[in-house]
Amino acid sequence: MKVKVKNLGVLKQAEFSLGDFTIICGSNNTGKTYATYALYGFLATWRHRIGSLGEGRISQRAINNLLDNGITQIDLIEYGKGAESILNTLCERYTEGLPSIFAAPRKRFRDSQFNISLERSALSEAIKRISFKSKTGARNRQFFSIAKAEGSTELEVSLLGEKQRVEIPTERIRSLITETINERIFGQFFPDAFISSTERTGAAVFRTELIFARGHLLEEMSRADDDINPRELLLRSYRDYSLPVKFNMNFMHWLESTTKTDSFLVEKYPDVLMQFAEIVGGSYRVTRNGELYFIPKDTEIRLSMNESSSGVRSLLNVDFYLRHAAEHGDLLIVDEPELNLHPENQRRVVRLFARLANLGIKVFITTHSDYIVKELNTLIMLNQDKPYLKRIAQQEGYKSSEFIAPEKIKAYIAEEDFVLLDGNKRRSRCQTLVEAKIDPELGIEMGSFDKTINKMNEIQEAIVWGEDG
C-alpha cells in the first residue's frame, strides 16, 4: 500500500509505503505528524466512506440469477479491475473530510490531496486468499448467504429461505453485496489502526476530569429541551480536537470496558507483556469503580496517574492496547515513542516494537531520537547468521525474536528535497518525505542525526582543545 499526499500541511508533495515497521524521522514542523494523522484518519474511517462504491460492477444478470435461481456467482478478479476507480473516489471523499480529521479550518485543505494505491498483482493474490462465509440483509432480517472459498476467484451469493420472501429493491441487493465485497477485499490491505498520539500523557493525567465532563454533558442533555440534537451536543465538546486525540480521549474513558477482553498476546506470547512490564517498571490496574492505578514492581503501592512518572503515563494506552485490544494484522501507531523515556527505555521500546512487527502487528512511529534509530540499526545488523554476531547478541541480552530483516522496514526522513511535482518538467525544492537507504550490515542511513551529533562533537573538541590552538 502506497500513500501519496499533496499540499498537506508543510508537505508540498510526498509519498510513503507501509512496511512491517515504518519509521519517519525529521526535525520539528517538517510534516511527520501531518503524514501520520492523515494515514490514521483514513484507516479509521474508510469503512464508513467506501459503502457501496463500485456497485455498478455487479451486473444486472448476476442479480437476476440470484432472484430467479436463488444463487449467483460474481467474478472477483473482474470486480477488482475497478479497484483503482473505487480507491480514487474513496480518497476524494476522504480528502474532503480532512478538516474534520485535523479539526482545522477547511481553507487549509483547499488544495490538499490524499491518495492510496495498490499493486494489481497484490490485489489478485489477496482475492485468492480471501475465505469467508457470512449472512446479510436489511431491516433486521437476513436474506443472503455470501461465501468465498480460499483459492477461488468467485463469490457465491445465495438466498436464504424462499425466494419470494425477498422484500428489498434490487438496487439495495446490489449495494449489500458490494459492501461485503469492499469490506473483504480492501480490508486485506487496510489494517485496523491504534494510535498513541503525543497528547497521550495529558489524556492519562486528566482521565478522571474527562469522565466527569462527559457525565456532566450527558446530564445536561437529559435536562435539555426535546429540540436539542444529542449528537451535535456530544460532538461540540470534542470538535476542537483532531481525530487521533479524540481517539486517545475515548480510549482512556472506556478503559474498564477494554479490560473485559484479552488480546492474542496474553495467551500466546505472555513474555511480550512481561517485556513491556519491565520497560514501564510495574503494572496498571483499573478498579470496578473506574479508578486507575500504577503499581511499581515488587511493591504493593498504588499510585494514581498524577503521582506516577511521566514515562508511566506516556506508556499507559500502549499497555492496555497490548493486553486487551491487539489483534494479528493491526497497525500500532506511536507518535514519538521516546516521549518522557530515558535512553535505555527508548532502546527497550524499539526491541519490543521489532518483536511485535515479527509477530504480525505492524508498527508505525515518528521520532526525533537518535537512540531509537541506532537501536533499530543494531537489530538489523544482528539479523545475520554470523558466529561473532550471535556471541555479541548473547553477551548483550538480545533475543533472536527481536532481530528484524531490513526488507520489513520502511524508513523516511521529513526534509526538503528536489521533487518532480505533477505537471512540471523540472524538479523543485520542497518539503517532502525522502526514503532512507537501509543496509543489512549498517542499518538505516539517517544523516540529519549524524550532522547534529558531529556538530556537537566539533564544538566540544574545540572547547577541550581550543586553548592549545
Side-chain angles (χ1 to χ4, degrees), residues 375-391:
E375 188 66 12
L376 184 55
N377 284 346
T378 298
L379 301 179
I380 294 171
M381 291 186 285
L382 287 174
N383 189 54
Q384 302 176 67
D385 190 19
K386 297 180 179 179
Y388 82 96
L389 292 177
K390 293 181 180 179
R391 184 177 67 252

Side-chain angles (χ1 to χ4, degrees), residues 297-314:
K297 183 181 178 181
D298 299 327
T299 74
E300 298 295 329
I301 301 172
R302 298 200 303 178
L303 302 176
S304 68
M305 287 300 101
N306 286 328
E307 297 172 299
S308 301
S309 70
S310 56
V312 166
R313 297 196 296 267
S314 71

Side-chain angles (χ1 to χ4, degrees), residues 33-275:
T33 298
Y34 268 100
T36 303
Y37 281 17
L39 171 65
Y40 171 76
F42 177 83
L43 295 176
T45 63
W46 75 269
R47 286 183 173 87
H48 304 298
R49 299 179 192 275
I50 196 169
S52 57
L53 283 178
E55 62 183 355
R57 301 195 65 79
I58 306 296
S59 68
Q60 186 60 44
R61 177 183 295 180
I63 301 299
N64 290 340
N65 283 340
L66 176 65
L67 296 177
D68 294 340
N69 306 315
I71 191 169
T72 192
Q73 283 81 32
I74 296 170
D75 186 344
L76 292 183
I77 295 295
E78 185 64 31
Y79 182 91
K81 292 178 181 178
E84 184 177 353
S85 175
I86 294 172
L87 280 177
N88 287 340
T89 304
L90 172 63
C91 290
E92 288 173 4
R93 289 183 176 182
Y94 176 64
T95 300
E96 292 174 359
L98 283 174
S100 63
I101 299 296
F102 287 88
R106 182 166 294 278
K107 62 182 180 181
R108 293 188 187 173
F109 302 92
R110 185 170 47 214
D111 300 318
S112 297
Q113 292 183 31
F114 180 96
N115 189 261
I116 295 281
S117 60
L118 304 174
E119 293 183 7
R120 181 164 293 184
S121 59
L123 188 67
S124 297
E125 288 302 314
I127 287 174
K128 294 177 183 177
R129 287 196 305 267
I130 298 171
S131 174
F132 71 93
K133 185 173 184 179
S134 62
K135 297 178 181 179
T136 188
R139 301 173 188 170
N140 299 320
R141 292 177 60 187
Q142 295 177 332
F143 293 110
F144 317 107
S145 171
I146 304 181
K148 161 71 171 62
E150 184 175 357
S152 171
T153 60
E154 288 194 338
L155 186 80
E156 184 175 280
V157 185
S158 55
L159 292 179
L160 296 173
E162 298 296 327
K163 294 193 291 292
Q164 57 266 32
R165 292 180 60 191
V166 178
E167 302 168 355
I168 57 178
T170 58
E171 286 307 308
R172 182 56 182 148
I173 295 174
R174 180 180 280 107
S175 295
L176 288 170
I177 295 173
T178 306
E179 288 169 9
T180 300
I181 294 175
N182 287 342
E183 164 73 22
R184 297 293 180 168
I185 290 181
F186 295 109
Q188 297 280 306
F189 297 94
F190 305 150
D192 292 331
F194 179 95
I195 190 166
S196 180
S197 70
T198 53
E199 293 82 5
R200 57 187 178 269
T201 303
V205 172
F206 297 109
R207 177 175 180 270
T208 303
E209 287 76 7
L210 291 171
I211 293 174
F212 174 80
R214 179 171 289 191
H216 180 72
L217 184 62
L218 292 173
E219 183 179 348
E220 181 181 341
M221 288 170 57
S222 67
R223 296 176 179 175
D225 296 334
D226 293 338
D227 294 336
I228 196 169
N229 185 330
R231 185 173 184 274
E232 181 182 344
L233 189 58
L234 279 169
L235 291 177
R236 194 185 307 162
S237 65
Y238 279 172
R239 67 184 176 187
D240 294 330
Y241 300 102
S242 64
L243 184 63
V245 176
K246 292 178 185 176
F247 172 80
N248 284 173
M249 295 166 70
N250 279 322
F251 189 77
M252 289 296 155
H253 180 82
W254 299 110
L255 283 184
E256 302 97 289
S257 300
T258 303
T259 59
K260 294 179 181 179
T261 60
D262 288 334
S263 73
F264 78 101
L265 296 173
V266 173
E267 180 180 351
K268 294 186 176 181
Y269 305 100
D271 54 322
V272 172
L273 304 178
M274 292 172 62
Q275 186 176 351

